[in-house]
Amino acid sequence: MSDALTEEKRSQGFWAWLTGLANPTRFMALTDAIMPFIASITVLALAAGLYMAFTAPEDYQQGETVLIMFIHVPAAWLAMMCYSVMSLSALGTLVWRHPLADVSLRAAAPIGAAFTLLALVTGSLWGKPMWGTWWVWDARLTSVLVLLIIYLGIITLGRALEEPTQAAKALAVTTLIGFVNIPIIKFSVDWWNTLHQPASVSRFDRPAMDAAFLYPLLIMALAYMLMFFTLHLMNMRNEILRRRIRTLKIRAAEAG
Amino acid sequence: MFGEYAGYIIPSYLLTILVIGSVFVWIRLVYRSRRKELEALEAGGLKRRSAVRQEANTRDS
């Protein structure tokens, strides 16, 4: 019996600690402490990834354009991962009413849009010498373009709605509806006949890529992921400050 | 360097640096300007309710 009570107290303590992190003031203090550490690891991973990419051999088919793959593929992965983070945040707003969920969603949107734009443009710069065209309206390319439009739509919607609770709900619902595009992007190369090649790394069997290219690619992907988390935390802090300023301005208007 | 594909590889890397660098600089500039604005508001005597509560708790303890 006493063991059960101790266990319950322990779990309550853990929950209190977890919900405590959701407090924006504690979040600001925590990010103050961890930001230099994450930023340093990001720089190290990026340096290692770039070194491995530029010392990798030429691909027998792509030649030196394989160098574009080391920045194009991680950008494309991050474009989808960022949207998945936003979708989880949307659930956090609608289901758990987590105080930082809407902050996270809004902060991630411009970063996701930047990675999506990079995926499209670097893909196009690779496509011209390899496919002989800058662009084709195939399922993969078109669905990624749709993702960019969804990101821009979410950013615009967030700026257009003034009332915070209404804006948070509208953004969360719109984000969750847009999530349908993520599996479409991922499986578009399997479901339709596309010019874009099928998955080479994330397959059920072993990756269809030599280790000489796979390892630099994975390190670059890790570096991009760390870069995303660094930028996301930084932008979440901006969003918290925006809300504090808004609150103080409203209080000033009420007092005056 | 990069042979016949230099015209595709170099713009890809430059654009990546430009886009990610711009996002980083934009976030830093927004942070600075919002910090300044918040400090100016607080210097004018305005405080958030949570900050007031925090001060009260510190006094009580």
Side-chain angles (χ1 to χ4, degrees), chain A residues 64-65 67 121 125 224 227 234 237-238 242 244-245 248-249 251-252, chain B residues 2-3 5 8-9 12-13 15-16 20 27 31 34 37 46-49:
Chain A
E64 289 192 311
T65 60
L67 279 170
V121 179
L125 281 160
Y224 266 56
M227 193 154 56
M234 286 169 71
R237 291 160 62 87
N238 285 356
R242 185 187 71 81
R244 286 182 176 176
I245 290 166
L248 288 189
K249 281 183 174 171
R251 293 194 74 187
Chain B
F2 309 129
Y5 301 122
Y8 301 101
I9 297 167
S12 296
Y13 276 81
L15 197 84
T16 300
I20 294 175
I27 290 175
Y31 180 77
R34 286 189 184 158
E37 194 177 353
L46 288 166
K47 281 203 171 115
R48 288 171 299 118
R49 286 190 186 95

PDB file of all heavy atoms in Angstrom, chain A residues 64-65 67 121 125 224 227 234 237-238 242 244-245 248-249 251-252, chain B residues 2-3 5 8-9 12-13 15-16 20 27 31 34 37 46-49:
ATOM      1  N   GLU A  64      29.682  15.038 -59.947  1.00  0.00           N
ATOM      2  CA  GLU A  64      29.819  15.897 -58.759  1.00  0.00           C
ATOM      3  C   GLU A  64      28.501  16.499 -58.302  1.00  0.00           C
ATOM      4  O   GLU A  64      28.443  17.101 -57.224  1.00  0.00           O
ATOM      5  CB  GLU A  64      30.862  16.972 -59.043  1.00  0.00           C
ATOM      6  CG  GLU A  64      32.264  16.363 -59.087  1.00  0.00           C
ATOM      7  CD  GLU A  64      33.361  17.399 -59.067  1.00  0.00           C
ATOM      8  OE1 GLU A  64      33.255  18.344 -59.865  1.00  0.00           O
ATOM      9  OE2 GLU A  64      34.309  17.240 -58.301  1.00  0.00           O
ATOM     10  N   THR A  65      27.453  16.324 -59.108  1.00  0.00           N
ATOM     11  CA  THR A  65      26.158  16.878 -58.666  1.00  0.00           C
ATOM     12  C   THR A  65      25.638  16.151 -57.426  1.00  0.00           C
ATOM     13  O   THR A  65      24.695  16.617 -56.795  1.00  0.00           O
ATOM     14  CB  THR A  65      25.079  16.803 -59.773  1.00  0.00           C
ATOM     15  OG1 THR A  65      24.893  15.438 -60.136  1.00  0.00           O
ATOM     16  CG2 THR A  65      25.409  17.648 -60.970  1.00  0.00           C
ATOM     17  N   LEU A  67      26.934  16.251 -54.772  1.00  0.00           N
ATOM     18  CA  LEU A  67      27.121  17.228 -53.689  1.00  0.00           C
ATOM     19  C   LEU A  67      25.822  17.975 -53.379  1.00  0.00           C
ATOM     20  O   LEU A  67      25.585  18.367 -52.236  1.00  0.00           O
ATOM     21  CB  LEU A  67      28.208  18.235 -54.076  1.00  0.00           C
ATOM     22  CG  LEU A  67      29.661  17.788 -53.879  1.00  0.00           C
ATOM     23  CD1 LEU A  67      30.608  18.787 -54.521  1.00  0.00           C
ATOM     24  CD2 LEU A  67      29.982  17.636 -52.400  1.00  0.00           C
ATOM     25  N   VAL A 121      14.219  24.403 -54.608  1.00  0.00           N
ATOM     26  CA  VAL A 121      15.190  25.085 -55.476  1.00  0.00           C
ATOM     27  C   VAL A 121      16.434  24.216 -55.707  1.00  0.00           C
ATOM     28  O   VAL A 121      16.913  24.094 -56.839  1.00  0.00           O
ATOM     29  CB  VAL A 121      15.563  26.479 -54.911  1.00  0.00           C
ATOM     30  CG1 VAL A 121      16.581  27.158 -55.811  1.00  0.00           C
ATOM     31  CG2 VAL A 121      14.331  27.345 -54.791  1.00  0.00           C
ATOM     32  N   LEU A 125      17.887  22.666 -59.152  1.00  0.00           N
ATOM     33  CA  LEU A 125      19.275  22.850 -59.608  1.00  0.00           C
ATOM     34  C   LEU A 125      19.969  21.505 -59.852  1.00  0.00           C
ATOM     35  O   LEU A 125      20.924  21.430 -60.616  1.00  0.00           O
ATOM     36  CB  LEU A 125      20.066  23.668 -58.569  1.00  0.00           C
ATOM     37  CG  LEU A 125      19.810  25.177 -58.623  1.00  0.00           C
ATOM     38  CD1 LEU A 125      20.217  25.848 -57.322  1.00  0.00           C
ATOM     39  CD2 LEU A 125      20.570  25.822 -59.783  1.00  0.00           C
ATOM     40  N   TYR A 224      21.102  19.220 -40.002  1.00  0.00           N
ATOM     41  CA  TYR A 224      19.907  19.996 -40.369  1.00  0.00           C
ATOM     42  C   TYR A 224      18.852  19.897 -39.263  1.00  0.00           C
ATOM     43  O   TYR A 224      18.183  20.872 -38.950  1.00  0.00           O
ATOM     44  CB  TYR A 224      19.324  19.474 -41.688  1.00  0.00           C
ATOM     45  CG  TYR A 224      19.805  20.215 -42.914  1.00  0.00           C
ATOM     46  CD1 TYR A 224      21.159  20.328 -43.206  1.00  0.00           C
ATOM     47  CD2 TYR A 224      18.901  20.801 -43.792  1.00  0.00           C
ATOM     48  CE1 TYR A 224      21.586  20.993 -44.345  1.00  0.00           C
ATOM     49  CE2 TYR A 224      19.324  21.470 -44.934  1.00  0.00           C
ATOM     50  CZ  TYR A 224      20.670  21.563 -45.203  1.00  0.00           C
ATOM     51  OH  TYR A 224      21.088  22.221 -46.320  1.00  0.00           O
ATOM     52  N   MET A 227      19.882  21.993 -36.474  1.00  0.00           N
ATOM     53  CA  MET A 227      19.716  23.387 -36.886  1.00  0.00           C
ATOM     54  C   MET A 227      18.248  23.803 -36.756  1.00  0.00           C
ATOM     55  O   MET A 227      17.935  24.889 -36.269  1.00  0.00           O
ATOM     56  CB  MET A 227      20.172  23.526 -38.339  1.00  0.00           C
ATOM     57  CG  MET A 227      20.348  24.935 -38.809  1.00  0.00           C
ATOM     58  SD  MET A 227      21.537  24.977 -40.157  1.00  0.00           S
ATOM     59  CE  MET A 227      20.855  23.856 -41.348  1.00  0.00           C
ATOM     60  N   MET A 234      14.753  29.224 -30.737  1.00  0.00           N
ATOM     61  CA  MET A 234      14.991  30.672 -30.794  1.00  0.00           C
ATOM     62  C   MET A 234      13.709  31.408 -31.186  1.00  0.00           C
ATOM     63  O   MET A 234      13.358  32.432 -30.602  1.00  0.00           O
ATOM     64  CB  MET A 234      16.086  30.990 -31.832  1.00  0.00           C
ATOM     65  CG  MET A 234      17.481  30.630 -31.379  1.00  0.00           C
ATOM     66  SD  MET A 234      18.665  30.743 -32.750  1.00  0.00           S
ATOM     67  CE  MET A 234      18.778  32.503 -32.988  1.00  0.00           C
ATOM     68  N   ARG A 237      11.051  31.559 -28.475  1.00  0.00           N
ATOM     69  CA  ARG A 237      11.318  32.639 -27.513  1.00  0.00           C
ATOM     70  C   ARG A 237      10.772  33.965 -28.052  1.00  0.00           C
ATOM     71  O   ARG A 237      10.203  34.754 -27.300  1.00  0.00           O
ATOM     72  CB  ARG A 237      12.822  32.747 -27.260  1.00  0.00           C
ATOM     73  CG  ARG A 237      13.371  31.555 -26.502  1.00  0.00           C
ATOM     74  CD  ARG A 237      14.866  31.427 -26.689  1.00  0.00           C
ATOM     75  NE  ARG A 237      15.598  32.558 -26.183  1.00  0.00           N
ATOM     76  CZ  ARG A 237      16.010  32.698 -24.917  1.00  0.00           C
ATOM     77  NH1 ARG A 237      15.765  31.741 -24.074  1.00  0.00           N
ATOM     78  NH2 ARG A 237      16.649  33.754 -24.526  1.00  0.00           N
ATOM     79  N   ASN A 238      10.948  34.192 -29.361  1.00  0.00           N
ATOM     80  CA  ASN A 238      10.407  35.416 -29.975  1.00  0.00           C
ATOM     81  C   ASN A 238       8.892  35.479 -29.838  1.00  0.00           C
ATOM     82  O   ASN A 238       8.329  36.536 -29.577  1.00  0.00           O
ATOM     83  CB  ASN A 238      10.764  35.460 -31.474  1.00  0.00           C
ATOM     84  CG  ASN A 238      12.208  35.820 -31.700  1.00  0.00           C
ATOM     85  OD1 ASN A 238      12.930  36.110 -30.766  1.00  0.00           O
ATOM     86  ND2 ASN A 238      12.627  35.788 -32.945  1.00  0.00           N
ATOM     87  N   ARG A 242       6.560  38.209 -28.016  1.00  0.00           N
ATOM     88  CA  ARG A 242       5.468  38.914 -28.716  1.00  0.00           C
ATOM     89  C   ARG A 242       4.207  38.897 -27.866  1.00  0.00           C
ATOM     90  O   ARG A 242       3.512  39.906 -27.717  1.00  0.00           O
ATOM     91  CB  ARG A 242       5.190  38.240 -30.070  1.00  0.00           C
ATOM     92  CG  ARG A 242       4.159  38.985 -30.912  1.00  0.00           C
ATOM     93  CD  ARG A 242       3.782  38.205 -32.158  1.00  0.00           C
ATOM     94  NE  ARG A 242       2.982  37.029 -31.888  1.00  0.00           N
ATOM     95  CZ  ARG A 242       1.674  37.034 -31.668  1.00  0.00           C
ATOM     96  NH1 ARG A 242       1.009  38.164 -31.685  1.00  0.00           N
ATOM     97  NH2 ARG A 242       1.021  35.908 -31.419  1.00  0.00           N
ATOM     98  N   ARG A 244       4.017  38.530 -24.574  1.00  0.00           N
ATOM     99  CA  ARG A 244       4.197  39.364 -23.370  1.00  0.00           C
ATOM    100  C   ARG A 244       3.986  40.838 -23.701  1.00  0.00           C
ATOM    101  O   ARG A 244       3.359  41.568 -22.940  1.00  0.00           O
ATOM    102  CB  ARG A 244       5.604  39.145 -22.804  1.00  0.00           C
ATOM    103  CG  ARG A 244       5.740  37.811 -22.124  1.00  0.00           C
ATOM    104  CD  ARG A 244       7.106  37.606 -21.534  1.00  0.00           C
ATOM    105  NE  ARG A 244       7.145  36.347 -20.810  1.00  0.00           N
ATOM    106  CZ  ARG A 244       8.220  35.848 -20.251  1.00  0.00           C
ATOM    107  NH1 ARG A 244       9.358  36.489 -20.341  1.00  0.00           N
ATOM    108  NH2 ARG A 244       8.159  34.705 -19.599  1.00  0.00           N
ATOM    109  N   ILE A 245       4.539  41.257 -24.846  1.00  0.00           N
ATOM    110  CA  ILE A 245       4.388  42.661 -25.265  1.00  0.00           C
ATOM    111  C   ILE A 245       2.905  42.977 -25.472  1.00  0.00           C
ATOM    112  O   ILE A 245       2.404  44.003 -25.011  1.00  0.00           O
ATOM    113  CB  ILE A 245       5.207  42.939 -26.552  1.00  0.00           C
ATOM    114  CG1 ILE A 245       6.697  42.901 -26.225  1.00  0.00           C
ATOM    115  CG2 ILE A 245       4.828  44.258 -27.188  1.00  0.00           C
ATOM    116  CD1 ILE A 245       7.613  42.816 -27.434  1.00  0.00           C
ATOM    117  N   LEU A 248       1.124  43.336 -22.126  1.00  0.00           N
ATOM    118  CA  LEU A 248       1.431  44.604 -21.459  1.00  0.00           C
ATOM    119  C   LEU A 248       0.757  45.780 -22.151  1.00  0.00           C
ATOM    120  O   LEU A 248       0.298  46.706 -21.493  1.00  0.00           O
ATOM    121  CB  LEU A 248       2.952  44.826 -21.413  1.00  0.00           C
ATOM    122  CG  LEU A 248       3.734  43.941 -20.449  1.00  0.00           C
ATOM    123  CD1 LEU A 248       5.170  44.409 -20.345  1.00  0.00           C
ATOM    124  CD2 LEU A 248       3.103  43.928 -19.061  1.00  0.00           C
ATOM    125  N   LYS A 249       0.691  45.729 -23.478  1.00  0.00           N
ATOM    126  CA  LYS A 249       0.045  46.829 -24.212  1.00  0.00           C
ATOM    127  C   LYS A 249      -1.448  46.882 -23.893  1.00  0.00           C
ATOM    128  O   LYS A 249      -2.026  47.956 -23.765  1.00  0.00           O
ATOM    129  CB  LYS A 249       0.266  46.665 -25.719  1.00  0.00           C
ATOM    130  CG  LYS A 249       1.650  47.121 -26.153  1.00  0.00           C
ATOM    131  CD  LYS A 249       1.811  47.023 -27.634  1.00  0.00           C
ATOM    132  CE  LYS A 249       3.140  47.608 -28.078  1.00  0.00           C
ATOM    133  NZ  LYS A 249       3.410  47.343 -29.486  1.00  0.00           N
ATOM    134  N   ARG A 251      -2.789  45.816 -21.095  1.00  0.00           N
ATOM    135  CA  ARG A 251      -2.898  46.311 -19.715  1.00  0.00           C
ATOM    136  C   ARG A 251      -2.724  47.827 -19.677  1.00  0.00           C
ATOM    137  O   ARG A 251      -3.397  48.525 -18.925  1.00  0.00           O
ATOM    138  CB  ARG A 251      -1.864  45.632 -18.820  1.00  0.00           C
ATOM    139  CG  ARG A 251      -2.160  44.161 -18.648  1.00  0.00           C
ATOM    140  CD  ARG A 251      -1.363  43.574 -17.533  1.00  0.00           C
ATOM    141  NE  ARG A 251      -1.897  43.997 -16.251  1.00  0.00           N
ATOM    142  CZ  ARG A 251      -1.311  43.744 -15.082  1.00  0.00           C
ATOM    143  NH1 ARG A 251      -0.175  43.108 -15.048  1.00  0.00           N
ATOM    144  NH2 ARG A 251      -1.861  44.147 -13.963  1.00  0.00           N
ATOM    145  N   ALA A 252      -1.783  48.320 -20.508  1.00  0.00           N
ATOM    146  CA  ALA A 252      -1.547  49.772 -20.563  1.00  0.00           C
ATOM    147  C   ALA A 252      -2.789  50.483 -21.089  1.00  0.00           C
ATOM    148  O   ALA A 252      -3.192  51.523 -20.561  1.00  0.00           O
ATOM    149  CB  ALA A 252      -0.357  50.071 -21.450  1.00  0.00           C
TER     150      ALA A 252
ATOM    151  N   PHE B   2      34.518  21.387 -59.275  1.00  0.00           N
ATOM    152  CA  PHE B   2      33.166  20.897 -59.585  1.00  0.00           C
ATOM    153  C   PHE B   2      32.919  20.684 -61.077  1.00  0.00           C
ATOM    154  O   PHE B   2      31.813  20.327 -61.474  1.00  0.00           O
ATOM    155  CB  PHE B   2      32.066  21.792 -59.007  1.00  0.00           C
ATOM    156  CG  PHE B   2      32.231  22.105 -57.544  1.00  0.00           C
ATOM    157  CD1 PHE B   2      32.188  23.406 -57.079  1.00  0.00           C
ATOM    158  CD2 PHE B   2      32.433  21.079 -56.629  1.00  0.00           C
ATOM    159  CE1 PHE B   2      32.345  23.695 -55.740  1.00  0.00           C
ATOM    160  CE2 PHE B   2      32.594  21.364 -55.277  1.00  0.00           C
ATOM    161  CZ  PHE B   2      32.553  22.678 -54.834  1.00  0.00           C
ATOM    162  N   GLY B   3      33.928  20.954 -61.894  1.00  0.00           N
ATOM    163  CA  GLY B   3      33.840  20.661 -63.328  1.00  0.00           C
ATOM    164  C   GLY B   3      32.670  21.337 -64.014  1.00  0.00           C
ATOM    165  O   GLY B   3      32.330  22.489 -63.708  1.00  0.00           O
ATOM    166  N   TYR B   5      29.610  20.944 -63.718  1.00  0.00           N
ATOM    167  CA  TYR B   5      28.395  21.154 -62.918  1.00  0.00           C
ATOM    168  C   TYR B   5      28.514  22.291 -61.903  1.00  0.00           C
ATOM    169  O   TYR B   5      27.615  22.480 -61.082  1.00  0.00           O
ATOM    170  CB  TYR B   5      28.007  19.866 -62.202  1.00  0.00           C
ATOM    171  CG  TYR B   5      27.737  18.715 -63.142  1.00  0.00           C
ATOM    172  CD1 TYR B   5      28.463  17.532 -63.050  1.00  0.00           C
ATOM    173  CD2 TYR B   5      26.757  18.826 -64.121  1.00  0.00           C
ATOM    174  CE1 TYR B   5      28.215  16.478 -63.922  1.00  0.00           C
ATOM    175  CE2 TYR B   5      26.507  17.781 -65.004  1.00  0.00           C
ATOM    176  CZ  TYR B   5      27.243  16.609 -64.896  1.00  0.00           C
ATOM    177  OH  TYR B   5      26.993  15.578 -65.768  1.00  0.00           O
ATOM    178  N   TYR B   8      25.683  24.601 -61.169  1.00  0.00           N
ATOM    179  CA  TYR B   8      24.516  24.101 -60.425  1.00  0.00           C
ATOM    180  C   TYR B   8      24.857  23.887 -58.947  1.00  0.00           C
ATOM    181  O   TYR B   8      24.028  24.130 -58.070  1.00  0.00           O
ATOM    182  CB  TYR B   8      24.031  22.766 -61.019  1.00  0.00           C
ATOM    183  CG  TYR B   8      23.654  22.890 -62.472  1.00  0.00           C
ATOM    184  CD1 TYR B   8      24.529  22.468 -63.477  1.00  0.00           C
ATOM    185  CD2 TYR B   8      22.441  23.458 -62.845  1.00  0.00           C
ATOM    186  CE1 TYR B   8      24.197  22.598 -64.821  1.00  0.00           C
ATOM    187  CE2 TYR B   8      22.097  23.592 -64.175  1.00  0.00           C
ATOM    188  CZ  TYR B   8      22.977  23.156 -65.166  1.00  0.00           C
ATOM    189  OH  TYR B   8      22.643  23.299 -66.490  1.00  0.00           O
ATOM    190  N   ILE B   9      26.101  23.404 -58.703  1.00  0.00           N
ATOM    191  CA  ILE B   9      26.492  23.079 -57.319  1.00  0.00           C
ATOM    192  C   ILE B   9      26.695  24.357 -56.496  1.00  0.00           C
ATOM    193  O   ILE B   9      26.153  24.487 -55.389  1.00  0.00           O
ATOM    194  CB  ILE B   9      27.783  22.220 -57.309  1.00  0.00           C
ATOM    195  CG1 ILE B   9      27.525  20.879 -58.020  1.00  0.00           C
ATOM    196  CG2 ILE B   9      28.259  21.968 -55.885  1.00  0.00           C
ATOM    197  CD1 ILE B   9      28.778  20.081 -58.363  1.00  0.00           C
ATOM    198  N   SER B  12      23.556  26.172 -55.519  1.00  0.00           N
ATOM    199  CA  SER B  12      22.796  25.399 -54.524  1.00  0.00           C
ATOM    200  C   SER B  12      23.306  25.693 -53.120  1.00  0.00           C
ATOM    201  O   SER B  12      22.525  25.943 -52.196  1.00  0.00           O
ATOM    202  CB  SER B  12      22.930  23.896 -54.778  1.00  0.00           C
ATOM    203  OG  SER B  12      22.356  23.561 -56.006  1.00  0.00           O
ATOM    204  N   TYR B  13      24.631  25.661 -52.956  1.00  0.00           N
ATOM    205  CA  TYR B  13      25.211  25.902 -51.626  1.00  0.00           C
ATOM    206  C   TYR B  13      25.054  27.365 -51.201  1.00  0.00           C
ATOM    207  O   TYR B  13      24.747  27.651 -50.047  1.00  0.00           O
ATOM    208  CB  TYR B  13      26.685  25.458 -51.597  1.00  0.00           C
ATOM    209  CG  TYR B  13      26.799  23.962 -51.331  1.00  0.00           C
ATOM    210  CD1 TYR B  13      26.637  23.031 -52.355  1.00  0.00           C
ATOM    211  CD2 TYR B  13      27.011  23.481 -50.044  1.00  0.00           C
ATOM    212  CE1 TYR B  13      26.708  21.662 -52.109  1.00  0.00           C
ATOM    213  CE2 TYR B  13      27.075  22.114 -49.789  1.00  0.00           C
ATOM    214  CZ  TYR B  13      26.931  21.205 -50.828  1.00  0.00           C
ATOM    215  OH  TYR B  13      26.989  19.853 -50.559  1.00  0.00           O
ATOM    216  N   LEU B  15      22.742  29.465 -52.119  1.00  0.00           N
ATOM    217  CA  LEU B  15      21.338  29.720 -51.789  1.00  0.00           C
ATOM    218  C   LEU B  15      20.980  29.145 -50.417  1.00  0.00           C
ATOM    219  O   LEU B  15      20.259  29.778 -49.642  1.00  0.00           O
ATOM    220  CB  LEU B  15      20.443  29.094 -52.865  1.00  0.00           C
ATOM    221  CG  LEU B  15      19.042  29.659 -52.823  1.00  0.00           C
ATOM    222  CD1 LEU B  15      18.977  30.949 -53.607  1.00  0.00           C
ATOM    223  CD2 LEU B  15      18.053  28.669 -53.378  1.00  0.00           C
ATOM    224  N   THR B  16      21.524  27.955 -50.128  1.00  0.00           N
ATOM    225  CA  THR B  16      21.261  27.347 -48.818  1.00  0.00           C
ATOM    226  C   THR B  16      21.812  28.236 -47.699  1.00  0.00           C
ATOM    227  O   THR B  16      21.122  28.498 -46.708  1.00  0.00           O
ATOM    228  CB  THR B  16      21.903  25.936 -48.757  1.00  0.00           C
ATOM    229  OG1 THR B  16      21.319  25.142 -49.784  1.00  0.00           O
ATOM    230  CG2 THR B  16      21.680  25.275 -47.421  1.00  0.00           C
ATOM    231  N   ILE B  20      19.178  29.978 -45.025  1.00  0.00           N
ATOM    232  CA  ILE B  20      19.281  29.627 -43.598  1.00  0.00           C
ATOM    233  C   ILE B  20      19.887  30.799 -42.812  1.00  0.00           C
ATOM    234  O   ILE B  20      19.436  31.122 -41.715  1.00  0.00           O
ATOM    235  CB  ILE B  20      20.076  28.319 -43.400  1.00  0.00           C
ATOM    236  CG1 ILE B  20      19.280  27.157 -44.027  1.00  0.00           C
ATOM    237  CG2 ILE B  20      20.311  28.036 -41.916  1.00  0.00           C
ATOM    238  CD1 ILE B  20      19.975  25.820 -44.027  1.00  0.00           C
ATOM    239  N   ILE B  27      15.537  35.975 -37.055  1.00  0.00           N
ATOM    240  CA  ILE B  27      15.115  35.577 -35.705  1.00  0.00           C
ATOM    241  C   ILE B  27      15.879  36.380 -34.643  1.00  0.00           C
ATOM    242  O   ILE B  27      15.298  36.859 -33.669  1.00  0.00           O
ATOM    243  CB  ILE B  27      15.314  34.037 -35.500  1.00  0.00           C
ATOM    244  CG1 ILE B  27      14.311  33.262 -36.358  1.00  0.00           C
ATOM    245  CG2 ILE B  27      15.149  33.656 -34.031  1.00  0.00           C
ATOM    246  CD1 ILE B  27      14.500  31.741 -36.337  1.00  0.00           C
ATOM    247  N   TYR B  31      14.269  39.071 -32.008  1.00  0.00           N
ATOM    248  CA  TYR B  31      14.478  38.861 -30.569  1.00  0.00           C
ATOM    249  C   TYR B  31      14.969  40.152 -29.913  1.00  0.00           C
ATOM    250  O   TYR B  31      14.435  40.582 -28.893  1.00  0.00           O
ATOM    251  CB  TYR B  31      15.495  37.731 -30.348  1.00  0.00           C
ATOM    252  CG  TYR B  31      15.767  37.448 -28.887  1.00  0.00           C
ATOM    253  CD1 TYR B  31      14.857  36.740 -28.117  1.00  0.00           C
ATOM    254  CD2 TYR B  31      16.934  37.912 -28.275  1.00  0.00           C
ATOM    255  CE1 TYR B  31      15.097  36.490 -26.773  1.00  0.00           C
ATOM    256  CE2 TYR B  31      17.175  37.667 -26.931  1.00  0.00           C
ATOM    257  CZ  TYR B  31      16.260  36.951 -26.190  1.00  0.00           C
ATOM    258  OH  TYR B  31      16.490  36.712 -24.858  1.00  0.00           O
ATOM    259  N   ARG B  34      12.221  42.853 -29.838  1.00  0.00           N
ATOM    260  CA  ARG B  34      11.156  42.555 -28.869  1.00  0.00           C
ATOM    261  C   ARG B  34      11.644  42.696 -27.430  1.00  0.00           C
ATOM    262  O   ARG B  34      10.913  43.153 -26.562  1.00  0.00           O
ATOM    263  CB  ARG B  34      10.589  41.153 -29.115  1.00  0.00           C
ATOM    264  CG  ARG B  34       9.722  41.165 -30.358  1.00  0.00           C
ATOM    265  CD  ARG B  34       8.944  39.920 -30.586  1.00  0.00           C
ATOM    266  NE  ARG B  34       8.240  40.058 -31.864  1.00  0.00           N
ATOM    267  CZ  ARG B  34       7.798  39.047 -32.575  1.00  0.00           C
ATOM    268  NH1 ARG B  34       7.957  37.823 -32.140  1.00  0.00           N
ATOM    269  NH2 ARG B  34       7.164  39.258 -33.712  1.00  0.00           N
ATOM    270  N   GLU B  37      11.615  46.359 -26.716  1.00  0.00           N
ATOM    271  CA  GLU B  37      10.244  46.857 -26.556  1.00  0.00           C
ATOM    272  C   GLU B  37       9.692  46.444 -25.196  1.00  0.00           C
ATOM    273  O   GLU B  37       9.058  47.249 -24.501  1.00  0.00           O
ATOM    274  CB  GLU B  37       9.374  46.300 -27.692  1.00  0.00           C
ATOM    275  CG  GLU B  37       8.042  47.015 -27.805  1.00  0.00           C
ATOM    276  CD  GLU B  37       7.207  46.523 -28.981  1.00  0.00           C
ATOM    277  OE1 GLU B  37       7.716  45.716 -29.795  1.00  0.00           O
ATOM    278  OE2 GLU B  37       6.032  46.939 -29.055  1.00  0.00           O
ATOM    279  N   LEU B  46       4.874  48.930 -16.256  1.00  0.00           N
ATOM    280  CA  LEU B  46       3.940  47.838 -16.568  1.00  0.00           C
ATOM    281  C   LEU B  46       4.580  46.496 -16.249  1.00  0.00           C
ATOM    282  O   LEU B  46       5.762  46.297 -16.516  1.00  0.00           O
ATOM    283  CB  LEU B  46       3.569  47.881 -18.047  1.00  0.00           C
ATOM    284  CG  LEU B  46       2.647  49.009 -18.469  1.00  0.00           C
ATOM    285  CD1 LEU B  46       2.646  49.138 -19.977  1.00  0.00           C
ATOM    286  CD2 LEU B  46       1.231  48.770 -17.959  1.00  0.00           C
ATOM    287  N   LYS B  47       3.777  45.610 -15.656  1.00  0.00           N
ATOM    288  CA  LYS B  47       4.296  44.269 -15.362  1.00  0.00           C
ATOM    289  C   LYS B  47       3.234  43.237 -15.663  1.00  0.00           C
ATOM    290  O   LYS B  47       2.042  43.503 -15.501  1.00  0.00           O
ATOM    291  CB  LYS B  47       4.688  44.173 -13.888  1.00  0.00           C
ATOM    292  CG  LYS B  47       6.034  44.807 -13.630  1.00  0.00           C
ATOM    293  CD  LYS B  47       6.683  44.261 -12.390  1.00  0.00           C
ATOM    294  CE  LYS B  47       8.098  44.769 -12.310  1.00  0.00           C
ATOM    295  NZ  LYS B  47       8.370  45.636 -11.201  1.00  0.00           N
ATOM    296  N   ARG B  48       3.683  42.044 -16.087  1.00  0.00           N
ATOM    297  CA  ARG B  48       2.739  40.948 -16.308  1.00  0.00           C
ATOM    298  C   ARG B  48       2.243  40.432 -14.964  1.00  0.00           C
ATOM    299  O   ARG B  48       2.951  40.529 -13.968  1.00  0.00           O
ATOM    300  CB  ARG B  48       3.413  39.815 -17.078  1.00  0.00           C
ATOM    301  CG  ARG B  48       3.665  40.142 -18.530  1.00  0.00           C
ATOM    302  CD  ARG B  48       4.523  39.096 -19.183  1.00  0.00           C
ATOM    303  NE  ARG B  48       5.824  39.026 -18.534  1.00  0.00           N
ATOM    304  CZ  ARG B  48       6.290  37.968 -17.909  1.00  0.00           C
ATOM    305  NH1 ARG B  48       5.580  36.866 -17.837  1.00  0.00           N
ATOM    306  NH2 ARG B  48       7.467  37.981 -17.342  1.00  0.00           N
ATOM    307  N   ARG B  49       1.023  39.865 -14.948  1.00  0.00           N
ATOM    308  CA  ARG B  49       0.466  39.362 -13.691  1.00  0.00           C
ATOM    309  C   ARG B  49       1.375  38.309 -13.064  1.00  0.00           C
ATOM    310  O   ARG B  49       1.567  38.283 -11.863  1.00  0.00           O
ATOM    311  CB  ARG B  49      -0.931  38.783 -13.929  1.00  0.00           C
ATOM    312  CG  ARG B  49      -1.968  39.865 -14.143  1.00  0.00           C
ATOM    313  CD  ARG B  49      -3.377  39.305 -14.126  1.00  0.00           C
ATOM    314  NE  ARG B  49      -4.310  40.363 -14.474  1.00  0.00           N
ATOM    315  CZ  ARG B  49      -4.780  40.579 -15.699  1.00  0.00           C
ATOM    316  NH1 ARG B  49      -4.386  39.806 -16.686  1.00  0.00           N
ATOM    317  NH2 ARG B  49      -5.606  41.555 -15.944  1.00  0.00           N
TER     318      ARG B  49
END
